[in-house]
Amino acid sequence: QITTVSGNEFLLQSDIDFLILDWFHAIKNAIDRLPKEQRITSGNLEFKLRRSSSIELLHNLDTESKEPKPEHRKSLIFRLNYSASDTNDRNRVKSRLKKFISRRPSLKTLQEKGLIKDQIFGSHLHLVCEHEKSTVPQFVRLCITAVERRGLDVDGIYRVSGNLATIQKLRFVVNQEEKLNLDDSQWEDIHVVTGALKMFFRELPEPLFPYCFFEQFVEAIKIQDHATRIKSIRSLVKKLPRPNYDTMKILFEHLQKIAAKESVNLMSTQSLGIVFGPTLLRPEKETGNMAVHMLYQNQIVELMLSEYSKIFGSEED
């Protein structure tokens, strides 16, 4: 959230991590170019990446010198601002929330009473599959079928965002109802379907590429020899748990069909790698190498799409 000196507020939000980093660096560089006496110290600038892929730019309102004079305030480009209410108000809200939460029945109790059904979004992949007695979540299959029926030729498929309110409504329906009809008119916008599918994978407690495999895939993509690189990635894929492997195979087969229509939908394997890389695999703990990791994430997805038959095919292939 950015608040300008004139009082305008802006919230920057994106699903694409490298764009978020570009925004952050652009804002930080703008601050650093200000005269020293008007500059918010760069040490007070903090960058946080949320699971939802939105960004929050926070800062300490202390400056390197005393508060700028009124005539200097106008020359400030903007101030990075956080929504800070009075400390006492926040403490009161926290206290009330703790009391409210402590009185609520447990999730297990609500599920046993039938008030809350097993969730699809936000649950571990293997739990969803166990509940459905399958190795690929039904929701994933339904979305892929819908996209292949009416979205292969759509410009920017998977890159263009659908209406977030409608996506959240679809998410709620999936979590509360057993049957889902994606041909219903309320899901007519195919970008809502693709947005919900990306959200499903983004909200997995552990990504489709399990955390314990992340570094191994990164090391594999660094291999210089192309044939050896493919062989290494293939070997890792074969070691994945069955729900992860089967879901990954059907998803990448689908994305390969998207890429095959690149001349119409403008979505190449590289574009799909940028969209799905950070969604499907990420380290368990973020480090200072986030930008480097992002590059490898994209390259891994791109290679697996380009060499789909070699990676997911049978040994004879």
Side-chain angles (χ1 to χ4, degrees), residues 119-134:
Q119 303 288 289
I120 301 299
F121 281 76
S123 293
H124 284 275
L125 181 65
H126 72 277
L127 293 178
V128 175
C129 291
E130 285 175 11
H131 174 70
E132 297 180 350
K133 294 179 174 56
S134 170

Side-chain angles (χ1 to χ4, degrees), residues 7-241:
N8 295 317
E9 292 187 353
F10 303 90
L11 177 65
L12 307 181
Q13 185 169 351
S14 173
D15 289 336
I16 303 176
D17 293 346
F18 76 84
L19 283 181
I20 298 173
L21 285 174
D22 286 346
W23 295 339
F24 168 70
H25 291 308
I27 293 169
K28 182 178 181 299
N29 291 338
I31 292 174
D32 291 341
R33 286 198 299 270
L34 291 172
K36 186 174 181 180
E37 67 275 6
Q38 299 171 11
R39 187 188 309 161
I40 297 169
T41 57
S42 59
N44 289 330
L45 183 63
E46 181 183 356
F47 173 65
K48 289 188 176 181
L49 178 62
R50 295 177 178 167
R51 277 288 180 88
S52 61
S53 293
S54 36
I55 61 170
E56 190 174 12
L57 295 164
L58 313 173
H59 81 92
N60 183 325
L61 287 178
D62 294 332
T63 54
E64 292 181 351
S65 63
K66 59 186 178 181
E67 181 73 11
K69 296 178 182 180
E71 62 269 19
H72 288 161
R73 290 180 184 174
K74 294 180 181 179
S75 65
L76 288 173
I77 298 176
F78 49 69
R79 290 188 174 191
L80 298 178
N81 173 32
Y82 63 91
S83 54
S85 57
D86 181 78
T87 304
N88 292 332
D89 290 340
R90 280 190 289 175
N91 289 338
R92 281 197 294 270
V93 171
K94 283 182 180 179
S95 178
R96 290 177 183 174
L97 281 174
K98 286 177 73 175
K99 289 180 181 178
F100 171 74
I101 292 171
S102 64
R103 290 197 301 265
R104 292 190 65 194
S106 67
L107 176 61
K108 184 177 180 180
T109 301
L110 293 173
Q111 288 174 332
E112 288 174 351
K113 291 182 178 179
L115 297 176
I116 292 183
K117 298 183 179 181
D118 293 326
Q119 303 288 289
I120 301 299
F121 281 76
S123 293
H124 284 275
L125 181 65
H126 72 277
L127 293 178
V128 175
C129 291
E130 285 175 11
H131 174 70
E132 297 180 350
K133 294 179 174 56
S134 170
T135 56
V136 179
Q138 181 65 15
F139 176 68
V140 173
R141 291 185 184 275
L142 288 173
C143 288
I144 287 175
T145 299
V147 174
E148 291 184 358
R149 189 168 58 248
R150 51 192 174 96
L152 290 179
D153 295 336
V154 175
D155 184 5
I157 192 71
Y158 283 111
R159 186 186 70 241
V160 176
S161 299
N163 181 275
L164 183 57
T166 310
I167 292 173
Q168 291 288 7
K169 182 180 179 182
L170 177 55
R171 178 184 186 276
F172 177 80
V173 169
V174 172
N175 276 339
Q176 297 300 317
E177 299 180 7
E178 294 184 4
K179 292 184 179 180
L180 174 66
N181 179 17
L182 289 177
D183 290 328
D184 191 291
S185 59
Q186 60 184 325
W187 321 125
E188 180 180 5
D189 182 3
I190 198 63
H191 297 303
V192 167
V193 177
T194 57
L197 182 60
K198 287 188 294 181
M199 181 179 286
F200 169 81
F201 285 111
R202 198 160 52 239
E203 291 191 0
L204 288 173
E206 185 171 29
L208 187 61
F209 289 71
Y211 288 131
C212 60
F213 281 85
F214 179 80
E215 292 297 338
Q216 297 178 64
F217 273 99
V218 169
E219 290 304 314
I221 200 67
K222 291 179 182 179
I223 298 172
Q224 294 299 312
D225 181 69
H226 187 68
T228 307
R229 189 188 313 147
I230 294 173
K231 186 177 180 180
S232 180
I233 295 263
R234 173 190 170 89
S235 176
L236 288 171
V237 167
K238 297 293 183 184
K239 294 177 183 177
L240 292 172

